[in-house]
């Protein structure tokens, strides 16, 4: 069976596991610490980065783009009979997402409002491009889930967690992207592609007291608690 070497909150890993989940390809998963990488991993990996896919015959594959292509070659495609031109376009649109993974991560770690704004603007350029080409949906290319949806899933999933916990929306103003995000969340793939402790680890890193968004989360929680108290004590209480 295929094995994925993962780090719980890595978006590059999630793109791979989301594709495996969408295609219902069974796989095992091993989580490693990136701060203290095990020697067996360093021996296998030329880059020292996750994701790594170890094939059934023990070959170690690296780089998420190459891994996605490998998975496509060994399993049924999400969409049948795509022309070479369409496949090239799909890869290009997937790249528009994956090149922004490392834009979203530092944006979520911003220490102050100004940095968050600056980094969000950079990330918004990706959503703006998608907004211009999205049609009726529900998915990027219409009725059927494609590799493009899978590539954007980590960005859209993370934006949803941030919005739910802090009220801050990386996708604000992009109506079609919002509808697309909703469809991706409703597919169940975001949850199927992460470990059970994903939310906890994600919040621990991106929504800690060190980050601006973490402080927004605390403020939101305390204002909701305040409202709750007001409601409990009644308007005249
Ligand atoms: N280009 C790589 C990027 C993967 C990547 O940046 N992975 C991060 C975790 S999200 C990592 O392994 N970082 C550890 C390191 O660079 O030493 C890919 O697409 O697979």
């Amino acid at each position: 069976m295929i094995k994925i070497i993962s780090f719980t909150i890595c978006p590059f890993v999630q793109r791979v596991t989301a594709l495996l989940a969408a295609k219902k390809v069974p796989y095992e998963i091993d989580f490693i610490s990136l701060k203290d990488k095990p020697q067996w991993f360093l021996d296998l990996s030329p880059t020292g980065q996750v994701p790594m896919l170890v094939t059934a015959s023990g070959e170690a594959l690296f780089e998420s783009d190459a891994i996605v292509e490998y998975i496509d070659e060994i399993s049924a495609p999400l969409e049948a009979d795509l022309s070479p031109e369409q496949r090239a376009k799909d890869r290009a649109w997937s790249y528009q997402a994956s090149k922004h993974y490392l834009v979203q991560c530092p944006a979520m770690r911003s220490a102050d409002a100004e940095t968050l704004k600056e980094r969000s603007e950079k990330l918004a350029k990706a959503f703006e491009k998608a907004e211009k080409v999205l049609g009726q949906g529900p998915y990027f290319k219409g009725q059927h889930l494609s590799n493009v949806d899978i590539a954007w899933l980590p960005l859209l999933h993370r934006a949803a967690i941030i919005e739910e916990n802090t009220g801050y929306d990386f996708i604000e103003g992009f109506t079609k992207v919002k509808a697309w995000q909703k469809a991706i969340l409703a597919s169940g793939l975001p949850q199927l592609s992460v470990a059970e402790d994903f939310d906890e680890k994600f919040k621990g890193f991106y929504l800690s007291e060190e980050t601006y968004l973490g402080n927004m989360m605390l403020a939101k929680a305390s204002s909701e608690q305040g409202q709750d108290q007001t409601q409990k004590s009644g308007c005249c209480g």
Side-chain angles (χ1 to χ4, degrees), residues 9 27 42 49 72 74 76 97 104 122 124 133 185 192 197 215 221 236:
I9 57 173
Y27 65 96
L42 294 171
Q49 291 188 318
D72 274 340
I74 60 154
Q104 190 182 42
K122 227 169 150 189
V133 297
L185 294 174
L192 285 174
D197 60 353
N215 284 291
C236 309

Side-chain angles (χ1 to χ4, degrees), residues 10-12 34 37 48-51 63-64:
C10 173
F12 297 93
L34 293 179
K37 296 173 189 165
Q49 291 188 318
V50 293
E63 285 295 336
S64 54

Side-chain angles (χ1 to χ4, degrees), residues 12-221:
F12 297 93
V13 172
Q14 193 182 10
R15 178 184 176 195
V16 167
T17 51
L19 183 63
L20 291 167
K23 292 184 165 213
K24 298 189 169 53
V25 174
Y27 65 96
E28 292 171 0
I29 191 155
D30 262 4
F31 295 93
I32 60 165
S33 157
L34 293 179
K35 285 205 183 109
D36 183 20
K37 296 173 189 165
Q39 193 54 47
W40 61 262
F41 173 70
L42 294 171
D43 291 343
L44 278 179
S45 168
T47 58
Q49 291 188 318
V50 293
M52 165 172 280
L53 182 152
V54 183
T55 67
S57 61
E59 291 288 336
L61 309 181
F62 62 105
E63 285 295 336
S64 54
D65 285 338
I67 293 174
V68 161
E69 286 182 28
Y70 170 77
I71 293 168
D72 274 340
E73 281 174 25
I74 60 154
S75 59
L78 288 178
E79 300 172 289
D81 303 326
L82 292 179
S83 66
E85 289 82 0
Q86 187 59 53
R87 284 210 302 273
K89 282 188 189 175
D90 288 358
R91 280 197 288 268
W93 276 108
S94 297
Y95 179 60
Q96 294 307 312
S98 63
K99 75 173 180 181
H100 285 88
Y101 294 170
L102 295 181
V103 176
Q104 190 182 42
C105 294
M108 294 185 296
R109 288 281 292 172
S110 301
D112 54 67
E114 203 179 317
T115 312
L116 176 63
K117 183 172 177 286
E118 206 175 283
R119 293 174 178 172
S120 297
E121 281 167 4
K122 227 169 150 189
L123 181 60
K125 292 205 170 101
F127 294 131
E128 194 180 347
K129 287 195 186 92
E131 181 78 12
K132 281 191 187 144
V133 297
L134 277 165
Q136 294 302 308
Y139 297 119
F140 185 80
K141 290 158 66 185
Q143 289 297 317
H144 301 287
L145 186 85
S146 73
N147 281 20
V148 180
D149 299 294
I150 299 293
W152 285 78
L153 181 148
L155 292 178
L156 299 172
H157 182 202
R158 282 158 175 71
I161 301 175
I162 294 293
E163 188 187 4
E164 188 189 330
N165 287 281
T166 69
Y168 184 83
D169 188 5
F170 282 110
I171 302 172
E172 192 178 1
F174 300 117
T175 331
K176 288 181 174 172
V177 179
K178 284 301 286 180
W180 181 30
Q181 179 192 43
K182 218 169 154 189
I184 297 277
L185 294 174
S187 74
L189 289 170
Q191 284 313 320
L192 285 174
S193 55
V194 292
E196 266 177 24
D197 60 353
F198 175 82
D199 281 28
E200 185 195 321
K201 294 240 166 86
F202 180 88
K203 284 187 209 163
F205 189 65
Y206 292 112
L207 297 177
S208 72
E209 284 179 16
E210 285 166 35
T211 69
Y212 186 74
L213 287 170
N215 284 291
M216 279 184 80
M217 178 175 78
L218 291 176
K220 182 172 183 277

